[in-house]
Amino acid sequence: MLSTLFATAQSDIPDNYFAPPLDIELLLSGTFGELRSNHFHAGLDIKTKGSTGLAVKASAEGYIGRIKIQHGGYGKALYIYHPNGYQTIYAHLDNFSPKIETLVKKAQYQKESYEIQLFPSKSDIVIEQNEIIGYSGNSGSSGGPHLHFEIRDYESKPMNPFLFGFESIKDSKPPQIFALHAYPLTNNSHINGHTDRVQLKLIRRKDGSYRTDPIKAFGKIGFGIDAHDVLDLAYNKNGVYSVKTELNGKPVFNSTFDKFSFYETRYINRLIDYEYYKTNKRRIHKLFLEEDNPLSLYKDVYNEGVVEIKENYLNQNFEIQVSDFKGNTQTIHIPIEPDTRSIAEAKKAKETEYFVKKNAASVFEKDKIDIYIPKNAVYEDMYLDIKIEGLNVDLHKETTPLHKSITIGFDVSEYSTADQSQLYIAKVAPWGSKYYVSTYRKRDRLTTKVNQFGTYQLFEDKTPPSIAPKNFRDKQWMSNFRYLKLEIDDEETGINSYRATVNGEFILMEYDYKTKTLTHDFNDGVVTDTKNQLKVVVTDKVGNAATFEAEFSRKN
Ligand SMILES: [Zn+2]
């Protein structure tokens, strides 16, 4: 079993070319290809015992070709370029090894910015295999301390790290099936008398596999599973590696997570049942392909994975095999019998004045709002349900996926110029919470680009951010302090910028949005005077500014 799985690996890279990036036993909280919001997970999430500061080691020799530091995303991340054209990536780090840290700080002080991106040249930072390059952390969009580790091939496509060994990861259990669903796919097809998705009850058999009761079906139908894999020694629910289906012993469908391109990752909205996900917060992996699904992870798919049941098709046997990388497989048997009843179906899309074609751009305008939908923003032709009232737009349904961003424009000429500057566009959730969306201003017009349907509305933000000291008081002696910490927050639109100076000189502050904390490290060596005037200016996303000033002293 294993040998056939490994056969898909790039043959030019020897097994174990890449060494584990941590010294501890590798336990995972995320696997390659795992289904996430609008993307597939591009690497392994390695657990770091719930804390930060574990030494992170270069997986193979090479040089640091890219350093990226951002508030969100990968946080502090290092990219090692290897002689074979591959890259390894280490993300959410706490800090870097001294030779990298020195280069980073220099660039940050030069640019006067915590967020930076550097592309050092080949000879700048040469790295040996197993050399310590940094320490694990929780920086960026990380839900807890861990190391995100990624391998990209010479075309910068992320690959499943399991293809390169890492055999020490223990997995003796097959994937777990949470639910099985069946879909009638055309107007005249039906399953157990239903013309819409039906969940099928799973019955455990003595050998550990599952079966369903025989289903009665007619016409073109498909299946979908909600499954995850659990490794040994950790409770985390990870992604499954491969799903295959067969009809009467003949292969129908196969999706396998070996590698993908970043340009295709948003097509995850086509792989999952998006409406079900938006409604139930669970992802059903569809085992059939609809229009506009070019994902490269599908192999050997016949008839789009669709099964057709005709009147005389007795005793059909459909089988689903869900596997993890080690080849542990869970199997589901689904007996299918033809159902010759004709069942009236009532699903017809509501016709509206807003029809969008997948292959053409559409523009809609009404009162003070205009909407631009580019070509290929929707996955199929459809009627949109749009309600416009003043400066509020209900733009179709949140349960319909968008592949590309659409532009919404608001005519705000009824506001004075001063008031206009504090206006912003927010997405209003069905439960009433509002979320700022990037708002662009041009004369009497505000626009935003959004990649989800839903309700969008104008609001005003007149409240500047708040700034408060976190580990000191005004006029305090801070001789023995390593860090200077402040808490910054903005309730309406969020933090746009922050800048701190001591005695008029820029000091670097690291911003962690998760803890709302700005941190200066006195080891940077830029605060050298005894008496110091600290000034911090913070702005929100409409430009409201707040200033904080304090005095502190340090013996040098
Ligand atoms: Zn990750």
Side-chain angles (χ1 to χ4, degrees), residues 30-33 40-45 74 148-151 158-159 161 260:
T31 49
F32 182 84
F40 299 105
H41 190 233
L44 302 179
D45 284 343
Y74 283 179
H148 172 97
F149 174 69
E150 205 170 301
I151 299 176
M159 296 198 62
F260 58 81

Side-chain angles (χ1 to χ4, degrees), residues 105 109 482 506-508 520-529 554 556:
K105 290 272 185 182
Y109 273 93
R482 164 89 190 258
F506 169 83
I507 60 162
L508 177 67
H520 173 69
D521 186 345
F522 284 119
N523 283 2
D524 287 359
V526 293
V527 177
T528 50
D529 294 343
R554 274 171 70 86
N556 287 290

Side-chain angles (χ1 to χ4, degrees), residues 1-2 5 162 165-172 241 323-328:
M1 189 73 197
L2 266 181
L5 291 174
F162 288 164
F166 299 101
E167 274 134 28
S168 65
I169 294 166
K170 295 189 181 71
D171 186 359
S172 58
Y241 172 61
S323 307
D324 60 29
F325 196 83
K326 299 273 180 179
N328 302 302

